[in-house]
Amino acid sequence: MIHSLKGYISTTSMNKLSAILLLFCISLQVFGQQAPKPFGPLPTAAQLKWQETEMYCLIHFGPDTYTDKEWGYGDEDPQIVDPTQFNAMQIVGAAKAGGFKGIIVVAKHHDGFCLWPTKTTEHNISHSPYKNGKGDIVQEYREACDKLDMKLGIYCSPWDRNSALYGKPEYVTDVYRKQLEELYTHYGPLFITWFDGANGGDGYYGGAKETRKIDRSTYYGWDTTWSIVRKFQPGAVVFGDVGPDVRWVGNENGVAGLTSWATYTPHAPEECKMPGNGFVKDKEGIEGHRDGEFWMPAECDVPLRPGWFYHENQDTKVKSVDNLMQLYYKSVGRGACLDLGLSPDGRGLLNNNDVDSLKKFGERLRQTFAINLAKTATLNVSNVRGGSYSKFGPVYLLDGDRYSYWATDDTATTPQLTLDLHHYTTFNVIRLRENIKLGQRIEAVAVDIYEDGKWRQIAEATSIGGNRLIRLSEPVSAQKVRLRITKSPVGIALSDFGLFKEPGIPPILRKID
């Protein structure tokens, strides 16, 4: 009897243990489903914040403003720089009204004139009439950004057509890098440090008035120069032709490639040489490389006017709100950031035409993206990772979080998402985003609407990444919308799906099927 009881207890315990183990295994599968493994190069924390910034402005002001040039020779008298009405709040405020989240101050352009009282050269704002030699324009931009909750970045040109030392090693070590140290220690925090490829050529050079050439691959010792950023402004990304954090898109039209990879490998135009700013196959930056070695997304720079500096004869040539919207879709809408050039006039103010264009652009943007028309849709998907809807379900596509996401099993690389909008809805813009913390995964998608009893494709796109906006050639109206992932090497991690309608587009009336 006792042995029978022991056997019963043992059997009962084993059954209970088996049941517990089974439940544990099920719970691991459902609730402990692992996140997808990252794919390819990944962004840093600073690059993520840069991606979220989306738009900022590059502000050019200096001797060229008064000489009506784009590139000063370097022999300009500091006495000509006299912005009697300079108002950083007006300039930064106009950028903010346009929907921009930061500015980059051109603290020194190629003419070598510095907008802050530097110790490295006499060619600076303290030798101008501005505030009787006590002015500091960079500091005034810093204070305006703080007051208006805008980010600040800085560009200090590596080329200096004023310096007698340019072309010698001492210019890099004793002038340029010390200028960067001054800027990075006195005017932070910065969200971006900006470098370009204009370097070497004719200039004043302390009175020599000659042409000086440099080895663009090695002269600036970029690794050492970038280390100054990492030391003093670790939260800032570094922009340049070769990054290393953000690449130039390869044109000044403000347009990224229709296919635009965030991954990129810069290549020198000459074999066996290292690429550098101004020494790279820049056209490769338009699209980037699917198999790129580095996470290095594109910045699209373009001036609001034809030129980067103010010219009175361009007052009537300011880009319209329609022009700016097109640029937005072709830059931010292709996973890049838009860097729009602003140019204060000799007074130190933006022209009213510029201010008005920025304001209208900001209003159009806010009206377009105020309401996600898919917000209340019922979502159905063909696959959810591990069946765990609570962790990886499609609900995360509509929560406004760039990093919560719908994920699929590793083998489900061409899943589908169907949205029931419950009523006919008119839209002309589709937004898709990936959780780029896990890399840029999706290579191609297609979007359909259900019409007259069948699905009709209305759009397709490649390279989703941090942001992809598809602007339809004409608006459509639908009750059901379908997203098809048509190409991906791995399971997806899609974080956003949005439908939007630009203002002025009337609803398309449809009979209920």
Side-chain angles (χ1 to χ4, degrees), residues 338-470:
L338 175 61
D339 183 5
L340 185 70
L342 303 184
S343 47
D345 60 22
R347 300 171 300 165
L349 299 171
L350 290 180
N351 183 274
N352 288 338
N353 291 346
D354 303 54
V355 174
D356 184 60
S357 179
L358 290 169
K359 181 181 178 182
K360 289 178 178 177
F361 174 53
E363 291 172 349
R364 179 79 65 83
L365 271 181
R366 285 186 287 273
Q367 290 171 2
T368 299
F369 295 98
I371 301 174
N372 182 354
L373 300 171
K375 191 75 173 178
T376 59
T378 299
L379 308 180
N380 287 290
V381 293
S382 60
N383 181 273
V384 171
R385 188 171 184 80
S388 181
Y389 280 76
S390 62
K391 289 186 67 174
F392 302 115
V395 65
Y396 296 113
L397 294 171
L398 303 176
D399 65 358
D401 186 335
R402 286 177 179 260
Y403 308 114
S404 64
Y405 57 103
W406 163 43
T408 61
D409 292 324
D410 294 337
T411 56
T413 59
T414 55
Q416 296 185 10
L417 162 73
T418 303
L419 298 90
D420 186 346
L421 302 171
H422 305 297
H423 55 80
Y424 277 99
T425 303
T426 301
F427 61 91
N428 74 315
V429 177
I430 303 162
R431 186 177 70 196
L432 299 168
R433 290 172 177 160
E434 292 185 83
N435 175 8
I436 56 175
K437 289 183 178 180
L438 297 173
Q440 190 171 19
R441 308 166 76 90
I442 297 173
E443 298 185 354
V445 301
V447 181
D448 312 316
I449 60 172
Y450 196 71
E451 185 178 71
D452 299 327
K454 59 184 178 181
W455 291 103
R456 176 172 73 88
Q457 181 174 311
I458 58 169
E460 58 185 358
T462 55
S463 61
I464 305 306
N467 200 46
R468 169 62 74 169
L469 298 173
I470 306 171

